[in-house]
């Protein structure tokens, strides 16, 4: 570990140009003023919340000097100065995000969807195609959860390793220049206590990837000092064991003061060289950092910092120390810097005011239109007094937001319910136009809207030769993955036991030997960073498949899936995509932890991802072929008990594609519709035989995917015929079965066609008990299905279907 001396001239022979130093000082002051004015805007009620990067300006300016085109950032919400320095954020854009301006041209990071301090560059063209990432400086889209940026950072760095080491990727020059790109991460000192940080640090050391992590250490985590966060109160101290040496690979670790310009420059120059040239991860512990305004606008740091600490922070503010450095070294006079200070204030205020004018002006225009329509309607309305009052209240609103306008118009239309269509029409038409605009502003891009969205991928039917052999289901997958690895050089897969043994169920057996360790790769037991590794690689144009060995283990990675991957397209309004395929297996096996079917949790947590639930391995293969043509992230849950079941080997194994969002009718019938998926398909089909003997003819539908769900509404078409429906699955009651019911009964208006109350059949509320008996008494059995359906039929016709038990 290298602790860089405060006066490091003996180490650093670089001569700094005066103009560059003055420019750095100016930028630091502009960023500080943006923080100070941003806080005031929140307290004035012009913005909802503020969190700022004051105190970190100097280190971020220096770091930016070594951030090159093609590099990627995965940071956190105090990196504004860095984004200014790499010219991927302007002061005006900074304030546009603070105000939540929904114009993507004015807030290109998030189009007003994220609170301030959440940065992103736009990796995609408007049509969803990739830009040339090597010709631009890149920032992955930020998330708020502390340390949540770390797993993705690992993946961004790992992509460089693949681009350098895998010869098959050399032609993808729009994504990498021979793997020379560095992934730069930033994190606060307190967040290094998170498990995500330690898991990512360990994985990067194992993988030896070009990753530089800067820890901004201001001594606190909100109100809690370091002694409660970190052993020895120092993250660099406790990570000494990661330091590389002559015999062992590991990290290079630096400790540097956040106000020492020369030491910072020496540190970041060396860190960048080591990471870029040697592909060695680097940790930079930036100490003696201050936080002049405290954590955020939610509170004051005077409540928990001593007077001595507050005085120390004032004296060691990085801008003040940098100012002293410039004056003492006769690089600038006090008068020159005073002028820069004043110019920075004026400039930032101008940009702030311009951002506010653009934001508020747009809303004021809408407000004016609404008020005019209200006044016009009031002259003819039966409730004119109410409309006039609403118009007056809206006109007097201080700092109006869009909610004020739309809420008023909606209430006005309520009061006009007795008026004629002619009186209501103008206001209604205006409101309908605004609804369309607001749908785009606030609700678009949860899923891809490009030509590569999964709905545009046409299905290709599976084909079989007349004498197609029966093989284990896992062999169908093995053949499918073999063809994918051969045709798509950007595809690679990784996870626990995936490489040498070809995964626990042998779907990749022999493929590592055939295609190499960079295509079929073993990892440690670290689900969180397996997902992060996939997210980061997908952000850089690769097509990764991350394997979570069993569905139960997905809990370890749920935060990254939910807060990062599934919301990526939404929170960037189509500016970034990470078409990661997450492969796992679940449903029926044995015991509390390997028989999980946590579908309800996933459906509620992962909106923005596709959720595929194939009933066999042929279906799964068709889904993988489709997903690799699309640009959306997906979770594919294979049936644990299906790998040894026999299936016919398709003759077009690498070409057939399953259209996602389309259900399949497995058995036609006339009495009742059963909607299910996955392993339950076999249970229901077996039950159908018993039901046939009892005089009941059921129709069995496999939904195949839960997201998207039955795009063609074939389920409601079935209900029109049978007038009864049962939704069956292995999740807890109220889980995926309730989701399917809502989609069909409410979404498809299925309730119009029912003669019997719709029903669900799910597993017990507890986890599955061990052994075959445990499975039988915990999850729906053939007998459960038969008795449930018979009961539904008996309810409407007890004479024909007398009580069974």
């Amino acid at each position: 570990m290298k602790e860089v001396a405060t006066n490091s001239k003996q180490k650093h022979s670089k001569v700094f140009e005066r103009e560059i130093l003055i420019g750095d000082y100016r930028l630091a002051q502009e960023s500080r003023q943006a923080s100070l004015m941003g806080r005031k805007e929140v307290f004035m009620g012009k913005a909802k919340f503020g969190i700022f990067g004051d105190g970190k300006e100097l280190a971020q300016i220096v770091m930016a000097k070594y951030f090159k085109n093609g590099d990627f950032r995965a940071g956190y919400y105090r990196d504004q100065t860095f984004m200014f320095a790499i010219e991927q954020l302007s002061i005006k854009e900074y304030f546009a995000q603070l105000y939540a301006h929904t114009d993507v041209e004015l807030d290109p990071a998030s189009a007003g969807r994220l609170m301030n301090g959440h940065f992103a560059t736009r990796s995609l063209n408007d049509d969803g195609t990739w830009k040339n990432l090597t010709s631009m400086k890149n920032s992955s889209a930020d998330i708020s959860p502390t340390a949540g940026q770390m797993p993705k950072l690992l993946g961004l760095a790992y992509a460089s390793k693949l681009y350098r080491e895998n010869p098959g990727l050399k032609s993808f020059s729009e994504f990498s220049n021979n793997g020379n790109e560095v992934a730069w991460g930033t994190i606060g000192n307190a967040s290094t206590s998170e498990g995500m940080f330690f898991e990512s640090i360990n994985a990067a050391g194992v993988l030896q990837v070009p990753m530089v992590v800067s820890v901004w250490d201001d001594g606190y985590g909100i109100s809690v000092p370091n002694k409660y966060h970190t052993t020895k109160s120092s993250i660099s101290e406790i990570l000494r064991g990661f330091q590389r040496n002559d015999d062992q690979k590991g990290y290079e670790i630096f400790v540097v003061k956040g106000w020492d310009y020369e030491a910072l420059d020496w540190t970041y120059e060396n860190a960048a060289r080591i990471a870029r040239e040697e592909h060695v991860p680097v940790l930079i512990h930036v100490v003696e950092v201050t936080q002049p305004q405290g954590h955020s606008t939610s509170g004051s740091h005077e409540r928990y910092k001593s007077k001595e600490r507050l005085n120390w922070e004032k004296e060691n503010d990085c801008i003040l120390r940098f100012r002293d450095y410039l004056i003492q070294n006769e690089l600038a006079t006090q008068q020159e810097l005073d002028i820069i200070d004043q110019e920075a204030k004026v400039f930032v205020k101008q940009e702030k005011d311009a951002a506010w004018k653009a934001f508020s002006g747009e809303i004021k225009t809408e407000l004016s239109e609404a008020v005019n329509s209200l006044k016009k309607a009031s002259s003819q309305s039966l409730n004119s007094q109410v409309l006039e009052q609403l118009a007056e209240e809206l006109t007097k609103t201080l700092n109006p937001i869009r909610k004020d306008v739309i809420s008023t118009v909606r209430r006005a239309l309520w009061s006009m319910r007795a008026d004629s269509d002619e009186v209501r029409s103008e206001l209604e038409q205006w409101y309908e136009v605004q609804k369309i605009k607001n749908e785009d502003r606030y609700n678009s891009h949860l899923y891809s809207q490009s030509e590569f969205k999964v709905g545009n991928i046409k299905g290709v039917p599976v084909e079989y030769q007349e004498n197609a052999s029966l093989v284990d289901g896992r062999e169908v997958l093995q053949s499918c993955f073999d063809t994918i690895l051969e045709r798509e050089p950007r595809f690679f897969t990784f996870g626990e036991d995936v490489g040498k043994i070809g995964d626990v169920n042998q779907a990749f057996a022999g493929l590592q030997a055939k295609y190499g360790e960079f295509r079929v790769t073993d990892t440690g037991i670290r689900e969180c960073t397996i997902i992060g590794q996939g997210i980061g690689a997908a952000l850089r144009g690769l097509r990764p498949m991350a394997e979570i060995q069993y569905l139960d283990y997905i809990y370890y990675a749920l935060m990254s899936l939910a807060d990062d991957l599934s919301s990526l397209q939404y929170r960037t309004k189509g500016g970034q995509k990470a078409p990661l395929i997450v492969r796992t297996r679940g449903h029926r096996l044995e015991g509390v932890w390997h028989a999980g079917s946590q579908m309800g949790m996933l459906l509620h947590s992962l909106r923005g991802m596709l959720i595929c639930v194939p009933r066999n391995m042929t279906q799964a293969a068709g889904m993988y072929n489709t997903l690799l043509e699309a640009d959306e992230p997906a979770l594919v849950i294979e049936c644990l008990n299906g790998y040894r079941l026999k299936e016919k080997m398709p003759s077009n194994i690498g070409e057939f594609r399953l259209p996602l969002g389309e259900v399949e009718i497995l058995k036609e019938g006339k009495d009742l519709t059963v909607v299910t998926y996955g392993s339950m398909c076999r249970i229901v089909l077996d039950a159908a035989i018993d039901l046939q003997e009892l005089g009941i003819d059921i129709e069995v539908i496999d939904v195949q995917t839960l997201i998207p769900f039955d795009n063609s509404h074939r389920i409601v078409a079935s209900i029109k015929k049978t007038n009864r429906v049962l939704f069956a699955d292995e999740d807890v009651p109220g889980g995926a079965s309730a989701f399917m019911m809502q989609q069909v009964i409410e979404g498809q208006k299925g309730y119009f066609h029912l003669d019997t109350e719709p029903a669900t059949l799910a597993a017990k509320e507890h986890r599955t008990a061990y052994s075959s008996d445990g499975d039988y008494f915990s999850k729906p059995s053939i007998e459960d299905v038969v008795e449930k359906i018979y009961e539904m039929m008996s309810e409407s016709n007890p004479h024909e279907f007398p009580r069974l038990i």
Side-chain angles (χ1 to χ4, degrees):
M1 183 171 72
K2 294 181 175 64
E3 187 162 353
V4 184
T6 302
N7 296 310
S8 53
K9 292 180 182 177
Q10 70 275 18
K11 292 184 179 181
H12 206 30
S13 60
K14 181 185 291 186
V15 176
F16 297 101
E17 294 183 20
R18 178 181 182 278
E19 290 74 14
I20 291 175
L21 294 171
I22 295 298
D24 289 346
Y25 180 82
R26 182 183 297 276
L27 179 56
Q29 274 291 10
E30 289 174 353
S31 184
R32 177 64 59 85
Q33 291 303 317
S35 295
L36 296 172
M37 293 184 195
R39 187 178 181 87
K40 290 179 181 178
E41 294 298 278
V42 175
F43 291 150
M44 290 174 63
K46 294 164 72 176
K48 185 85 171 179
F49 177 81
I51 195 161
F52 307 103
D54 44 315
K56 285 82 179 167
E57 293 92 350
L58 199 62
Q60 291 185 17
I61 286 171
V62 174
M63 181 172 73
K65 295 179 184 296
Y66 299 98
F67 190 92
K68 294 185 177 182
N69 283 351
D71 286 359
F72 260 88
R73 164 192 169 273
Y76 85 135
Y77 39 71
R78 301 201 189 278
D79 288 349
Q80 67 194 50
T81 311
F82 176 79
M83 295 300 293
F84 292 148
I86 64 170
E87 299 182 340
Q88 295 303 310
L89 178 72
S90 69
I91 299 289
K92 189 182 295 184
E93 290 169 346
Y94 174 81
F95 281 100
Q97 188 178 67
L98 182 71
Y99 301 136
H101 201 149
T102 57
D103 189 331
V104 74
E105 298 296 325
L106 300 180
D107 173 19
S110 70
R113 295 180 176 186
L114 298 176
M115 72 179 187
N116 82 303
H118 289 70
F119 310 113
T121 50
R122 302 193 73 77
S123 302
L124 306 178
N125 298 305
D126 291 341
D127 62 359
T129 58
W130 290 99
K131 294 180 179 179
N132 186 330
L133 301 184
T134 62
S135 66
M136 56 190 285
K137 293 180 170 67
N138 304 283
S139 173
S140 63
D142 288 341
I143 59 175
S144 276
T146 54
Q149 69 272 32
M150 293 297 297
K152 173 174 57 184
L153 174 67
L154 173 71
L156 292 168
Y158 183 66
S160 287
K161 184 181 183 77
L162 293 180
Y163 280 120
R164 178 172 290 185
E165 301 292 340
N166 181 0
L169 297 176
K170 298 302 181 185
S171 63
F172 294 97
S173 57
E174 70 273 31
F175 296 123
S176 178
N177 176 22
N178 196 39
N180 291 329
E181 299 78 25
V182 173
W184 300 77
T186 62
I187 190 169
N189 54 289
S191 298
T192 63
S193 301
E194 295 274 16
M196 284 185 163
F197 174 82
F198 282 101
E199 187 174 316
S200 301
I201 290 293
N202 180 61
V206 170
L207 293 171
Q208 288 292 284
V209 292
M211 182 174 106
V212 177
V213 180
S214 296
V215 180
W216 313 133
D217 191 344
D218 59 18
Y220 288 82
I222 307 184
S223 65
V224 180
N226 270 352
K227 66 180 181 179
Y228 296 115
H229 286 292
T230 311
T231 303
K232 300 182 179 180
S233 298
S234 170
I235 191 63
S236 56
E237 279 293 317
I238 63 173
L239 291 179
R240 279 180 180 269
F242 284 80
Q243 174 70 50
R244 64 175 178 165
N245 54 45
D246 292 340
D247 301 318
Q248 296 170 308
K249 295 179 179 180
Y251 273 73
E252 196 62 67
I253 301 176
F254 296 94
V255 181
V256 63
K257 292 179 173 60
W259 48 262
D260 187 340
Y261 187 92
E262 290 191 10
L264 286 165
D265 188 80
W266 183 91
T267 299
Y268 278 101
E269 181 181 48
N270 280 278
R273 176 187 54 78
I274 291 167
R276 198 178 307 279
E277 296 177 8
E278 301 178 44
H279 272 203
V280 169
V282 181
L283 179 92
I284 302 176
H285 187 189
V286 185
V287 298
E288 296 192 15
V289 173
T290 66
Q291 199 152 284
Q293 297 186 107
H295 177 263
S296 69
T297 54
S298 292
S300 169
H301 62 159
E302 284 84 358
R303 291 184 301 160
Y304 54 84
K305 290 179 182 175
S306 66
K307 289 183 180 179
E308 292 76 16
R309 173 69 190 190
L310 290 169
N311 287 334
W312 181 90
E313 289 197 10
K314 289 179 181 178
E315 293 170 359
N316 288 280
D317 185 290
C318 66
I319 296 180
L320 178 62
R321 296 293 296 263
F322 188 37
R323 180 188 180 95
D324 291 343
Y325 168 83
L326 294 174
I327 293 171
Q328 290 169 11
N329 286 276
E330 298 182 349
L331 295 163
T333 66
Q334 183 170 323
Q335 287 180 324
E336 285 178 303
L337 299 181
D338 287 343
I339 292 172
I340 290 174
D341 292 351
Q342 187 58 36
E343 289 174 345
K345 289 181 182 179
V346 172
F347 172 69
V348 172
K349 184 178 185 302
Q350 288 175 345
E351 296 299 285
K352 171 185 71 69
D353 291 345
W356 175 253
K357 183 178 180 181
F359 170 74
S360 61
E362 189 176 279
I363 294 175
K364 285 178 180 177
T365 298
E366 294 171 15
L367 185 148
S368 178
E369 293 171 353
V371 167
N372 290 337
S373 293
L374 285 169
K375 289 181 176 179
K376 185 175 180 180
S378 70
S379 65
Q380 305 173 63
S381 175
L382 299 172
N383 216 344
S384 59
Q385 188 173 355
V386 172
L387 294 182
E388 289 173 4
Q389 182 179 350
L390 288 170
E392 183 179 357
E393 290 174 353
L394 187 56
T395 302
K396 293 180 178 179
T397 303
L398 182 65
N399 296 328
I401 59 176
R402 195 162 274 122
K403 172 190 171 185
D404 299 319
V405 180
I406 298 300
S407 176
T408 299
V409 169
R410 293 172 75 176
R411 291 175 179 274
L413 289 170
W414 297 354
S415 71
M416 296 170 67
R417 62 191 180 278
D419 290 332
S420 67
D421 290 344
E422 184 178 356
V423 173
R424 292 167 56 95
S425 63
E426 181 177 320
L427 193 60
E428 283 181 328
Q429 289 174 13
W430 183 88
Y431 175 56
E432 289 302 317
V433 170
Q434 294 303 311
K435 280 173 65 177
I436 294 171
K437 290 181 178 180
N438 289 329
E439 179 75 19
D440 175 67
R441 289 167 176 149
Y442 303 103
N443 308 122
S444 66
H445 292 86
L446 178 59
Y447 300 95
S448 173
Q449 295 184 199
S450 77
E451 63 178 293
F452 310 106
K453 65 182 180 181
V454 76
N456 287 345
I457 309 303
K458 302 301 182 183
V460 175
V462 61
E463 297 175 0
Y464 299 97
Q465 293 180 352
E466 188 174 342
N467 58 346
S469 57
L470 282 174
V471 298
D472 288 346
R474 65 99 184 167
E475 295 179 71
V476 174
L477 283 178
Q478 181 190 34
S479 181
C480 174
F481 292 144
D482 191 0
T483 60
I484 291 172
L485 284 160
E486 185 175 5
R487 77 168 184 264
E488 175 51 89
R490 294 182 299 161
F491 176 78
F492 67 101
T493 185
F494 55 99
E496 299 157 16
D497 297 315
V498 169
K500 190 173 184 63
I501 70 168
D503 90 38
V504 291
N505 297 106
Q506 301 287 283
F508 281 97
L511 297 184
Q512 184 185 79
K514 184 174 181 179
Y515 293 99
E517 291 188 14
F518 289 113
R519 304 293 305 282
V520 183
T521 306
D522 282 315
T523 70
I525 299 175
R526 51 176 182 82
E527 286 78 11
C528 171
T529 48
I530 287 172
I531 293 301
Q533 201 170 325
I535 295 172
L539 279 164
R540 294 193 56 190
L542 295 170
R543 295 309 310 261
M545 176 186 283
E547 176 156 324
I548 301 298
Q549 194 166 86
Y550 296 106
L551 182 60
D552 309 66
Y553 299 162
I554 208 163
Y555 288 109
Y556 286 106
L558 188 60
M559 200 286 285
S560 290
L561 290 169
D563 285 330
D564 199 348
L565 181 59
S566 65
S567 69
L568 178 63
Q569 291 225 32
Y570 172 78
R571 71 180 190 272
T572 61
K573 201 180 183 184
Q576 292 185 6
K577 63 182 177 183
L580 169 65
I581 298 173
V582 180
R583 177 186 179 231
T584 188
R585 51 196 64 82
H587 311 313
R588 302 225 168 208
L589 189 62
E590 299 292 345
V592 168
W593 291 285
H594 282 354
S597 186
Q598 303 88 346
M599 304 309 302
M601 175 197 73
L602 298 171
L603 285 165
H604 288 100
S605 302
L606 302 184
R607 300 298 171 93
M609 285 187 73
L610 311 178
I611 299 182
C612 305
V613 283
R615 68 180 182 272
N616 59 37
M617 303 311 152
T618 302
Q619 299 294 99
M623 291 175 181
Y624 290 129
N625 287 334
T626 299
L627 290 169
L628 284 165
E629 298 295 318
D631 65 355
E632 296 174 84
L635 173 64
V636 182
I637 305 166
E638 297 165 7
C639 295
L640 254 172
N641 58 0
Y643 295 105
R644 301 296 175 184
L645 297 180
K646 298 299 181 182
E647 301 180 34
K648 289 195 296 183
M649 177 64 76
S651 58
N652 59 340
I653 187 66
E655 288 76 40
F656 81 95
R657 295 196 292 264
L658 194 75
L660 303 190
E662 300 298 324
V663 306
E664 183 177 353
I665 297 177
L666 303 181
K667 176 190 175 301
E668 293 189 353
K670 59 181 176 60
D671 292 326
L672 183 145
T673 300
V674 181
V675 181
T676 190
Y677 61 87
S679 294
M680 276 297 293
C681 290
R682 290 192 293 275
I683 302 291
V684 174
L685 287 172
D686 287 343
I689 298 171
D690 290 327
L691 286 164
Q692 199 79 46
E693 294 179 2
L694 293 169
I696 300 172
D697 183 20
I698 64 170
E699 185 146 295
V700 183
I701 296 179
D702 176 11
V703 302
Q704 302 190 105
T705 60
L706 289 165
I707 298 177
F709 185 88
D710 189 15
N711 292 333
S712 301
H713 288 195
R714 294 184 69 191
I715 297 174
V716 77
S718 174
I719 295 173
K720 288 178 183 179
K721 176 176 60 174
T722 66
N723 306 120
R724 299 177 183 86
V725 64
L726 172 68
F727 300 92
D729 83 328
E730 304 176 51
D731 199 4
V732 295
S737 57
F739 166 81
M740 293 189 293
M741 178 184 282
Q742 183 269 334
Q743 292 283 306
V744 175
I745 303 304
E746 181 183 347
Q748 298 183 14
K749 309 301 180 188
Y751 66 91
F752 279 119
H753 313 289
L754 293 174
D755 293 339
T756 303
E757 181 181 8
T760 63
L761 178 63
K764 302 295 185 183
E765 293 186 14
H766 55 73
R767 295 289 185 97
T768 306
Y770 179 62
S771 82
S772 297
D773 278 347
D775 178 86
Y776 182 82
F777 290 104
S778 301
K779 292 201 169 189
S781 65
I782 295 172
E783 289 77 16
D784 291 330
V785 175
V786 169
E787 290 170 7
K788 181 67 176 180
I789 292 172
Y790 189 92
E791 178 187 355
M792 294 174 70
M793 297 298 296
S794 177
E795 181 183 343
S796 58
N797 193 345
H799 177 73
E800 185 176 353
F801 302 104
R803 184 166 60 91
L804 276 180
I805 297 178

